[in-house]
Amino acid sequence: MNRGALAVPVLAVGVFGIITTEMGVVGVLPRLAERLGVGASGAGWLVGAFALTVALTGPISTLLASRLPRKAVLAAALALFALSNAVYALTDSYPVMLAFRVLPAIAHPVFFALALTAAVRLAAPGKGARAATTVFAGVSAGFAFGVPLTSYLADHLGLAAAFWTAAAVNALACVALLLFFPHLEEEHRPSYAGQLGILRSTRLWLSVAAATLVFAAMFSGYGFFAEYLENVTGVDASLTGPALMAFGVVMTLGSVGFGRLLERGLVRTVTLYPVLYLGLYALLYAIGPHPAAMAGGVLLWGAVHSGGLAVAQGWLAQDATAAPEFGNSLFISFSNLGITVGTALAGATVTGAGPHALPLTGAALALAALLAVLARRRLGAVGALDGGAAAGGLPPQEPGAGGHEEHVDGDLHGRVAEA
């Protein structure tokens, strides 16, 4: 295997380290609050400030980084995450801790945007979707293994050991990236104005809306996973952790399958995805009070959930081929907005109607996502811009135009980074 062949797996390891840093604190917040001398709400800002920073700074930070060498930016982001974890291990100061939650959050969307574009560009022709889902597998692995590992190490070896481990993962990913990530030749540097120009596309904003609603539907349920299992299904709290791990393992495996589905048909797969979530939430509503049935339901839930990242990113990327990295930053920012909206609506549902009604909120959001996808499809073919010219060299094409649409679907991810 040549060195370049390891580049995409290395990016996935980097994503794993970043997700472990971002979400690992969730499982250790009470210990952090005690060590830093703050209350629960103050500790909660260590999570909230990170997500808010990602949502607010993603597009502009990625735009500013777009004219810099890709390899240097990716390595610098991982180095910053390693440094931040080292600070978490050493500091007892809440302001310092909070500052080093905000700083890596600025680099988070930059790394993801560049990593996704680079993965597609490094892939063999027609294999771009699979490369993107390999990168996304790092997200699933972070939730399945990184977050529980952080909690386990904090319980048994202390907070410092948990954070030093996360620092080591990010540092190793940085070194591996420097060793195995190739230099990508740039025919031209995209101008800032040219990248911002994609914001004039109505199609892009419908794709943004669909991606946002997909994430809202996904996380309206996932955000209250423990609440639903404990209060509706009656699962003991001690079993919630293993259930989350099983969910994450299935996610990691399922993302590969969705990558192949996207290669075979982007439009078909994206249209099907919110329908799958509608069916899933209807099933969860029916079997929620039955523990034996929910054991299988959790695994099915993880399998469906696994496709959301790649599906939403692929759908938005179709209308950002003229500025793929900036488009990916929009995906990251608006997916975080979707998570915020979904969890807020789900929280209101729990307060107003009880946790048993959570699947109904998720189903309503999935239906809204489906309507946004269908509205985008009515405006024209994948890859077409508002003015009628195709982005990235893809010819205008009416939806449902037989084999040619499938050809566009299969080749789309391979062309995203070539604009």
Side-chain angles (χ1 to χ4, degrees):
M1 178 181 292
N2 61 50
R3 288 159 44 116
L6 294 174
V8 174
V10 164
L11 292 173
V13 173
V15 167
F16 170 79
I18 286 174
I19 292 298
T20 300
T21 302
E22 177 185 4
M23 302 304 299
V25 299
V26 171
V28 297
L29 277 183
R31 298 175 189 81
L32 276 176
E34 182 179 355
R35 190 177 83 173
L36 299 173
V38 297
S41 61
W45 269 106
L46 298 175
V47 179
F50 194 107
L52 185 62
T53 301
V54 171
L56 293 179
T57 68
I60 187 64
S61 57
T62 304
L63 188 69
L64 293 174
S66 65
R67 297 178 66 82
L68 300 175
R70 304 295 186 262
K71 185 172 182 176
V73 173
L74 291 167
L78 290 172
L80 178 57
F81 271 85
L83 173 63
S84 297
N85 276 287
V87 171
Y88 305 159
L90 296 170
T91 189
D92 291 326
S93 166
Y94 178 74
V96 171
M97 183 83 172
L98 187 61
F100 278 88
R101 292 294 288 171
V102 171
L103 288 173
I106 296 171
H108 175 287
V110 178
F111 185 91
F112 269 78
L114 270 62
L116 286 169
T117 306
V120 171
R121 191 168 171 185
L122 290 166
K127 303 298 182 184
R130 194 174 305 185
T133 52
T134 298
V135 173
F136 281 132
V139 176
S140 304
F143 278 102
F145 306 111
V147 175
L149 177 63
T150 300
S151 182
Y152 178 86
L153 291 173
D155 285 340
H156 292 82
L157 299 176
L159 280 172
F163 291 133
W164 280 121
T165 301
V169 170
N170 283 284
L172 287 172
C174 179
V175 172
L177 187 142
L178 291 171
L179 290 175
F180 299 115
F181 192 85
H183 175 70
L184 295 177
E185 295 293 338
E186 296 286 350
E187 294 182 0
H188 63 278
R189 294 289 186 187
S191 68
Y192 297 141
Q195 293 179 82
L196 291 169
I198 67 172
L199 298 178
R200 294 193 296 267
S201 170
T202 302
R203 288 173 171 82
L204 174 75
W205 286 110
L206 282 173
S207 293
V208 165
T212 304
L213 288 166
V214 162
F215 269 78
M218 292 166 60
F219 282 88
S220 64
Y222 181 79
F224 289 85
F225 184 91
E227 180 84 17
Y228 195 76
L229 288 186
E230 292 173 20
N231 293 297
V232 177
T233 310
V235 172
D236 188 87
S238 64
L239 297 177
T240 301
L244 278 168
M245 183 169 288
F247 185 99
V249 170
V250 173
M251 270 189 69
T252 304
L253 299 174
S255 63
V256 177
F258 272 100
R260 293 181 179 177
L261 288 174
L262 285 165
E263 286 175 1
R264 295 176 181 176
L266 175 71
V267 174
R268 181 173 58 244
T269 303
V270 173
T271 307
L272 177 64
Y273 188 75
V275 177
L276 286 175
Y277 240 115
L278 271 169
L280 172 71
Y281 279 132
L283 177 66
L284 294 178
Y285 186 77
I287 69 174
H290 307 287
M294 273 300 294
V298 165
L299 299 179
L300 181 61
W301 191 354
V304 175
H305 195 85
S306 69
L309 285 80
V311 164
Q313 186 271 338
W315 191 237
L316 198 156
Q318 65 177 326
D319 293 315
T321 54
E325 289 162 357
F326 184 60
N328 281 332
S329 73
L330 293 174
F331 160 70
I332 295 159
S333 288
F334 280 93
S335 63
N336 275 270
L337 176 62
I339 292 171
T340 302
V341 170
T343 53
L345 290 175
T349 299
V350 171
T351 301
H356 69 280
L358 279 169
L360 301 180
T361 299
L365 289 166
L367 178 60
L370 175 61
L371 293 176
V373 170
L374 294 176
R376 167 61 187 85
R377 289 187 63 174
R378 286 179 62 84
L379 288 186
V382 173
L385 293 177
D386 284 341
L394 291 173
Q397 172 74 13
E398 292 302 316
H404 186 66
E405 180 181 323
E406 292 307 306
H407 174 72
V408 170
D409 278 350
D411 287 350
L412 178 62
H413 285 273
R415 298 193 185 190
V416 164
E418 294 178 3

